[in-house]
DNA sequence: ATAACGCGGACTATATTAGTCCGCGTTATG
DNA sequence: CATAACGCGGACTAATATAGTCCGCGTTAT
């Protein structure tokens, strides 16, 4: 699979919806169904975002998640690291020290500092991370907000509100969503 | 495992040794043993470099690989793509089109153009690739060449030459390399 | 003829990713 | 106070990718 995983994709999509619904906690289950992704998988992603201080959780019925900070203060890099745990782009195996002309232990000049190949990869990783760090949730949301017609955001609000209501005011145990 | 794989690492290390031994073909088996890596795995990497026009192969005993171009004309990005096959950093699943408020098929405004999240990832990937493209084998070799003492390059030449000779001039079936 | 070469395909083992399932303590509602 | 949905966490499974092995083929210098 790709280095930037589906978990990151799901997390970012959810954070954008949280950004568009400030003040109202959204549950991970609702967010999953709303976007047609796996609720149980999404449930494993949110605790990571919470530990990273990106979202804040409230428990119990009517609970859910809120953005813990302003969307403009949350970078894509933070989200990636929160979900994937800072995995490196490249895993140097120190081949340079295994050279056959080094009997037993390699000399210190050969293993001192960062391997030149590793250094190239670290620079590439830094370029990637800098790029991700330069974008916030606001930057991403802007693109989408400009494309959507005004009625859409009402439809979304309505869909999510209906979900929240069905948990408190009863009578919607059997709703219109058939298989 | 990491996105930039062990295959790339092995390939780059080998290419550096090829760059330091112009005109003399080196076999993938010798290169593997010289660096303490798996000969059979390395044997799967070189054909990819050959198809990409990075090395040229000669068959038969005394065969092996040569750099097909000047080391300064071979970028790290080319090597990565040759070995890994241009795998993307991120695999967009078009979550945006699955929104529950879209009954059946999503409207065209929602799926037109590149997903905003995907666009961020593509920019990050480009930053990474640009960084890799800016470095050639010469750039990497420079770092290492400066560190090694003069005697080292002689030792290497000797080790490799002994290997090549043991294929042509016989008498070295049992050499000093004990377990 | 031999031995080592590159080439390619089939195969295996291990790690990661994606996803499921279940049980716990919490909390608003009726 | 029972219920139902919530977040949390751990154990589990399935699919895929990576790393590595093995074997047989045609080629080529000795």
């Amino acid at each position: 699979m790709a280095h930037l995983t589906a978990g990151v994709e799901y997390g970012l999509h959810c954070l954008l919806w949280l950004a568009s619904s400030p003040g109202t906690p959204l549950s991970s289950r609702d967010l999953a169904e709303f976007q047609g992704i796996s609720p149980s998988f999404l449930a494993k992603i949110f605790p990571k975002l919470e530990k990273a201080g990106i979202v804040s959780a409230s428990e119990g019925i009517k609970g859910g998640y809120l953005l813990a900070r302003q969307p403009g203060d949350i970078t894509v890099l933070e989200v990636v690291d929160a979900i994937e745990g800072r995995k490196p782009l490249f895993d140097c195996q120190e081949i340079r020290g295994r050279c056959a002309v080094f009997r037993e232990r390699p000399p210190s000049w050969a293993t001192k500092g960062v391997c030149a190949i590793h250094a190239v990869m670290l620079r590439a990783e830094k370029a990637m991370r800098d790029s991700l760090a330069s974008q916030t949730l606001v930057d991403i949301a802007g693109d989408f907000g400009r494309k959507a017609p005004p009625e859409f955001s009402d439809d979304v609000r309505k869909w999510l509100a209906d979900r929240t209501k069905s948990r408190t005011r009863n009578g919607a145990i059997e709703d219109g969503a058939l298989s």
Side-chain angles (χ1 to χ4, degrees), chain A:
Chain A
M1 208 52 40
H3 187 253
L4 299 171
T5 60
V8 169
E9 183 172 15
Y10 298 163
L12 282 170
H13 277 283
C14 289
L15 291 174
L16 292 179
W17 290 117
L18 289 183
S20 77
S21 135
T24 314
L26 300 180
S27 76
S28 78
R29 289 160 175 94
D30 283 356
L31 280 165
E33 278 200 50
F34 180 66
Q35 298 174 98
I37 62 183
S38 155
S40 44
F41 185 52
L42 192 58
K44 302 192 64 168
I45 294 170
F46 267 103
K48 298 179 182 177
L49 294 172
E50 207 257 328
K51 284 184 185 63
I54 294 170
V55 300
S56 61
S58 48
E59 290 198 337
I61 201 172
K62 281 196 77 174
Y65 295 98
L66 288 171
L67 243 43
R69 282 180 271 148
Q70 295 300 314
D73 284 338
I74 299 172
T75 69
V76 176
L77 180 63
E78 280 181 277
V79 178
V80 168
D81 283 347
I83 295 173
E84 295 191 337
R86 269 221 98 180
K87 71 177 170 190
L89 193 64
F90 176 76
D91 169 42
C92 181
Q93 298 177 60
E94 290 294 336
I95 305 298
R96 59 183 180 169
R98 303 194 207 158
C99 183
V101 304
F102 306 148
R103 294 284 178 203
E104 307 295 326
R105 303 280 156 218
S108 62
W109 64 260
T111 54
K112 184 167 290 184
V114 179
C115 165
I117 290 173
H118 192 185
V120 169
M121 302 310 190
L122 287 173
R123 280 195 290 274
E125 181 175 6
K126 183 173 189 313
M128 177 193 75
R129 291 176 62 83
D130 287 350
S131 176
L132 293 176
S134 76
Q135 305 282 306
T136 71
L137 295 186
V138 166
D139 298 321
I140 307 180
D143 286 19
F144 190 72
R146 254 171 265 120
K147 285 164 58 175
E151 74 222 44
F152 176 67
S153 106
D154 291 341
D155 290 350
V156 169
R157 231 185 303 279
K158 186 168 178 305
W159 192 97
L160 293 170
D162 283 358
R163 273 310 180 102
T164 306
K165 266 182 213 136
S166 79
R167 312 209 279 263
T168 65
R169 265 192 222 304
N170 211 331
I173 290 172
E174 304 279 330
D175 66 0
L178 44 84
S179 69

